[in-house]
Amino acid sequence: MAGTNESTASAFGYQNLIKTELDGGSITKLVVVILTTLFSVYINCIMLYSLKSKRVFKESPRYILFAHMLFNDSIHLILSTMMYVLSLAFLKLAKAVCSLIMLISTTTFLNAPLNLAVMSLERYVAVRFPLRHAEIATQKRTYIAICFVWLFGSANILTDIIFAAVMDPNFLYMQMYCSRDQIFITAWQLDLYNGRNIFYFVSVTVNAQTDVHSGMRLYRR
C-alpha cells in the first residue's frame, strides 16, 4: 500500500511539474516553434515540387544539390521540433529509438554545411571551367557527392552510437530523455564531437572563401 501511495504521489508530482512547465509560457513557445516548422516545411515542399516538375531542374547538378538541401533541412526541422516537444513534455524514449532520431538529426545538421560546400565547388567549376562544366559536373557525380555528404555527416554520431552499444549491451533497451549528451559515455567522445564539428565548419568556410576569391579573380580578368 505504501509503495502504491508513493507511486501515485510521484506520478501526481510529475504531472504537476509538466503542468507548471507548460503554464510558464512554454505553450506559446511550443505553438510558435511548431507553426514556424510547419510553415518552413510547407515552403520547402512547394519548392521541391517545382524543382521536380521540370526536367531541366532534375538534370542540372545545381538544382539537384539545391533540392537535396531543401529535403535535408526539412528533415532536420521536423526532427528538431519533435525532440523539442519530447523534452518539453519530459517524455522518455527507448535508446534505440532515440539513437535513430539523433542519428538522422545530427547527420542532417552536418549535411547542411557540407552540401553548401559541394554547391560552391560546383559553381567554382562552372566559372573556372565553363566549357568542361557539363563534362565534370554530371548528374551521376552529383549523386555520388550527395552520398559522400551523408557518409561524412553520419560518421561522427554513428561512431558514438556504435561505441555506446558495444560498451553497454543494454544501451539500446534502456529508457532515457532523448538528447545528444545522453549518448556520450566518456569525455573523449565530447571532445571528438566538438573537434569534428569545428573541422567541418572551418573546412566549409575556407572552401567557400577560396571559391569566392577565385571567382572574383576570374571575373576581373
Side-chain angles (χ1 to χ4, degrees):
M1 181 66 68
T4 303
N5 292 335
E6 290 179 1
S7 299
T8 304
S10 177
F12 182 74
Y14 176 75
Q15 293 176 357
N16 287 338
L17 176 62
I18 294 177
K19 185 177 179 180
T20 302
E21 291 291 335
L22 293 179
D23 288 345
S26 297
I27 293 180
T28 303
K29 295 179 182 179
L30 181 62
V31 171
V32 171
V33 168
I34 292 177
L35 291 179
T36 303
T37 300
L38 291 177
F39 178 75
S40 300
V41 172
Y42 174 72
I43 297 298
N44 288 349
C45 289
I46 292 177
M47 289 190 288
L48 281 172
Y49 178 78
S50 301
L51 292 174
K52 293 296 181 181
S53 62
K54 299 290 185 179
R55 183 178 179 181
V56 63
F57 293 152
K58 293 188 291 185
E59 295 179 352
S60 174
R62 185 196 329 177
Y63 293 110
I64 292 175
L65 292 171
F66 180 63
H68 173 254
M69 182 183 67
L70 294 175
F71 173 77
N72 181 84
D73 291 349
S74 298
I75 297 297
H76 182 70
L77 279 173
I78 293 172
L79 292 179
S80 298
T81 304
M82 182 189 305
M83 292 177 62
Y84 176 73
V85 173
L86 291 174
S87 65
L88 198 63
F90 296 98
L91 294 178
K92 288 185 177 181
L93 294 177
K95 283 195 174 183
V97 177
C98 180
S99 297
L100 179 61
I101 295 176
M102 289 303 308
L103 173 63
I104 302 176
S105 176
T106 305
T107 301
T108 51
F109 173 73
L110 292 176
N111 281 354
L114 295 176
N115 191 81
L116 289 175
V118 176
M119 292 177 70
S120 64
L121 182 61
E122 186 272 335
R123 287 293 83 199
Y124 171 77
V125 173
V127 174
R128 185 69 176 81
F129 308 103
L131 299 179
R132 298 185 56 195
H133 175 259
E135 177 185 352
I136 298 174
T138 62
Q139 185 177 0
K140 180 180 179 181
R141 289 178 178 175
T142 303
Y143 285 118
I144 293 176
I146 291 175
C147 290
F148 275 104
V149 166
W150 281 86
L151 177 63
F152 289 124
S154 62
N156 197 350
I157 180 66
L158 192 59
T159 302
D160 291 332
I161 293 175
I162 293 175
F163 178 78
V166 171
M167 297 300 294
D168 186 4
N170 298 322
F171 173 79
L172 297 178
Y173 304 99
M174 298 170 60
Q175 298 285 325
M176 71 173 185
Y177 297 111
C178 193
S179 67
R180 184 68 175 79
D181 297 336
Q182 295 293 328
I183 299 179
F184 295 134
I185 296 179
T186 59
W188 65 263
Q189 287 182 279
L190 180 60
D191 296 335
L192 182 61
Y193 173 74
N194 293 330
R196 285 178 175 175
N197 284 343
I198 294 173
F199 173 76
Y200 283 149
F201 284 98
V202 169
S203 299
V204 170
T205 302
V206 171
N207 178 70
Q209 291 294 330
T210 302
D211 292 346
V212 169
H213 291 315
S214 299
M216 292 179 63
R217 286 198 300 266
L218 291 173
Y219 177 78
R220 290 171 181 173
R221 292 177 183 177

